[in-house]
Amino acid sequence: MADILSIGAGATQLYRQALSTVSNNIANLNTEGYSRQVSETSENVPSQQGTVFVGSGARLDNIQRAYDEFAESSLRDSGSKLSNQQPLIDYANRVVDIMGSEASGLSSAMDKFFAAASALSADPASINLRSSFLRDAEGMASRFRELSDQLSAVELETRESIETQVNQLNSLSEKLAFVNKELNKKLSLSSQPPMMLDQRDQLLREMSAVTKIHVTEAVSGQVTVRLASSAGSVITDAKMHYDLGTSFDDNDPGRVDLIVEPYGDSRVASTVTNGKLGGLMNFRTQTLAPAMDSFDFLAQTLVAEVNQIHSAGLDGRGEAGGDLFAIDLDFMVAAPAGNANAAIAIEVIDGEEFDNAPFEITWSSEQNSWLVENQSSGAVTVAEPGFASFSYAGLSITVGDQPVDGETYRIDARERPAGGMRLLVTDPLDVAAADTMRAMSDAANIGEARVSLEYSATPAFNGFDYGDSILSLGNNPSSAAGETVSGSYLTPAFVIPKGVDSAALILEVDSGSDLSFQVMTSDGVHVLGQSIDSSTQAILMSSDSGFRDDSSYSDSYLNATGSAAYLGLDLTYGFLARDVERNEWRVDDNGISSESTTTTLSATATSADVLLQSNDSSVTVDLISANALVLNDYSMAALELEAGAVSSAVLMATWINAATDSAGVTAKATNLITIEEDSVDFTQQVNINGVLIGDGTPLTSVRELANAINEQTDNTNVMANITYDGKLEITNARGYEGENITLSNPDSTSSDNALGQSNKIFVGQLQLEADQEIRFTFGDDGLPKDLAVLGLRTGIYVEGTVTEDLAVFVTGSDSGSVAAGFSTTDSDDVAASAVAPFAIDFSSGSEYTITDLATGTLVATRSYATGGDISYKGFTLVLDGDPVAGDQFVVDSNKDGIGDNGNMLNLVALQDKELMADGSTLGEAYINLVNGVGSKAALAMMSKEALQVVYDQAVAAKDQVSGVSLDQEAGELIRFQQAYQASAQIIQVASKLFDSILSIR
């Protein structure tokens, strides 16, 4: 009976706990994260009675959760993917609503702008229509700004949403870390409280809704959570959690970095995928940033194209038009390492070229240039030499103060291009509706060709394929700055770019060199250089596509000067030095400078060492042949060296002075040897002009050496002097200026002497002077080697602004050294030359010439094919009909064409022009932009619907295992109730049996 009683009592306890478990399941039917609990029982150990084992009932082992790890993991992943779509849908639809609206979108504003331009083209003299055009232009600019602001608002909102999601993830990580600590109190998963495990799983599900996570479970139930994958950044482990922070790039909305431990040992987190956070970041990267960039590019393209057309026209006053729109970018300049008070001005020159990325500029004294580092790409660019101003990425940057080496500034654009668009023109008469130039047929033409004119601010000529810009040589014409160049007839060595002012390209060669300069235009006009034969002409123009195939070679302006020069330029090929004007301030009795006077200094030049050459023959030889050099328009006689003589500066000065009356140039010979004090070797001796210096005993100081030299002046014709800084100078005695000085050593085995100089003949230099200029040019047979005889380098000198690219060949078989000097570029002169009048003259039906009417220069001779167009500068002449010999067409200013509508028609045509890279128009590009965002929203909606099915399946799979079902629990409740009643009945039977035993007498 005792056994029956204990079995019954144990059973009632067991089923009472089972009923409690079922009741708890029913009570937590709607508790979020609750997993159904199951009572686990097992048989008690039976007792052995003889050979028989008698059962002893059952016991409650544990109350476990109904849990499937795979179902739980699948639910987290599917929920994370589903959560990823909603931010993209919501925000993409916001962008579509903003940009696609009929009232607030850009399409209607652009249509109104071009419609106003079309109306103005019908009556360009109408002030009312001009005002309407400006009103709609301002409306379009305002719409760009408004849309840019709204896109920026979406960017700010998504930024705040990302920060909210990151904060939520940090909070969940902190809670999970606390749960991990509680789970750490028990050694095995089976001994953990189900409620604690439910709380853990619920936190993991909430974290997966923020972003995809990878979970690793320990034997105790503790979890380690990483971002995205097993290689991702840890945000929670068994001991602690790690906070995340955010880092946004103000200039690149698509760049968002998550930072682990932002206030401690910070490091960039691994990639985030899925979840609301992943969806927000994907929206910014894949949708918002491309949309904002495309919208900015659309604004930049529109402004550039409209301004190009408007600047090419004439306004209502007959003056050249300017930019219609501007894109103003507000820049922030910070000085992390430099003078924070330095004046730095930034102007946007080409908005399309600037990518809105921040950059740093650092001054390099060694390179004499600013080093520009793009902070987004890391690319480093070396700006053009000089600190005062330079160009970078479509920006013109001006620095007010001389920087020190390493001085650095960071520059950030605080405004997006579309947000900075504004209308520049406010006066209706400033609208440039007329063409700047017009094309007219000469009244005497006998052909039937009719002409029309088209203009593009971007000429068809794209520059020469070969040749470095002289700007790359640096602005330093000294011999020490020269770079080696080899002669070539195939490709240009250098290009003098248009806009350069006062250019000089200097060539240094040996006296035996055959190198020479040849300067040509793209139309084959030979401007400077030596005369060349027809085969050389063809070679020079054959290898570089910068030379037009239809142009003919011309040497009509070769080395011409004055009004006969090409385009009236002041050109020199040879050597040039000019007088200099100097302003001097007069100081009154009070020490105040109130007036200035201008003093003209004569032209002067000093040569390098002249050529040293001996004539060992028995006849006189020419160092420079007759008429090889021309000095100030005077052809020089031959420079002769008599038999047995040695050349000297004296010989050459005498030769130049013989032409002073005709050339106006005087020459003086000098010979100066400068010796550093530490170069003197007192252990050796020296002969000067064959005379031993000293008495043979060693000298001990520079002063003693100078005295010893001066003691022999009567015999050597050489004297010595010590400068203030201790240098020893040796030169000719009075009356012997410029003569050669021979240094040697009595010890024939030594290569140098007491002066530390090589044992050789030292030749002198020439000092030239003239009232106005010293200009050496070349005769028919002259070459740069002839100037090298005089110790002079050969240069190309262009005074004034170059208005077209010039190709510079260095022809010959030798090599030499080239340096350059120039002033800053002048865009105004280039712009003025672009609209200079010109004439097209047909010498036959198949050939024509182009003449610059301002200077009378014939700038091109070209072949003509019937039906072909004629392009020059930015103009294209379209001929309807065939021209004949004698026909002339003139392109000149349209100043009296105020009622002309040509330029406004060009602006109207811009609406249908395929300007974008994909061949779309401006309007189509905007529609494509909006449609692209809308397509992403629609695709995200389709993905969401598909992922919703997957998620619902995962929920059902999880609920099938862990969910509470009332039907199932009701069945369990009845089953356990009956079992409990049966167990109670066992106890009752045991009691009756016990009573029966007690009743026996």
Side-chain angles (χ1 to χ4, degrees), residues 7 58 259 371 449 604 712 824 909 912:
I7 291 173
I259 309 298
L371 305 182
T604 59
Q712 295 291 344
T824 56
D912 299 320

Side-chain angles (χ1 to χ4, degrees), residues 17-30:
Q17 292 293 341
L19 286 169
S20 297
T21 301
V22 172
S23 301
N24 187 55
N25 287 339
I26 295 172
N28 285 282
L29 174 67
N30 295 316

Side-chain angles (χ1 to χ4, degrees), residues 414-463:
R414 292 188 290 195
E415 182 73 76
R416 295 195 67 91
M421 183 175 174
R422 66 183 178 89
L423 181 68
L424 291 177
V425 177
T426 57
D427 187 342
L429 288 177
D430 289 339
V431 176
D435 278 329
T436 302
M437 307 289 281
R438 60 184 175 184
M440 298 180 296
S441 303
D442 190 270
N445 286 0
I446 59 176
E448 298 180 354
R450 298 292 177 266
V451 64
S452 61
L453 185 68
E454 298 176 358
Y455 176 74
S456 171
T458 305
F461 174 66
N462 292 320

Side-chain angles (χ1 to χ4, degrees), residues 117-129:
S118 178
L120 181 57
S121 68
D123 186 6
S126 171
I127 296 296
N128 289 335
L129 291 177

Side-chain angles (χ1 to χ4, degrees), residues 566-581:
Y566 180 78
L567 293 178
L569 290 170
D570 185 353
L571 304 171
T572 300
Y573 173 45
F575 177 85
L576 179 65
R578 286 189 164 138
D579 57 14
V580 178
E581 290 187 350

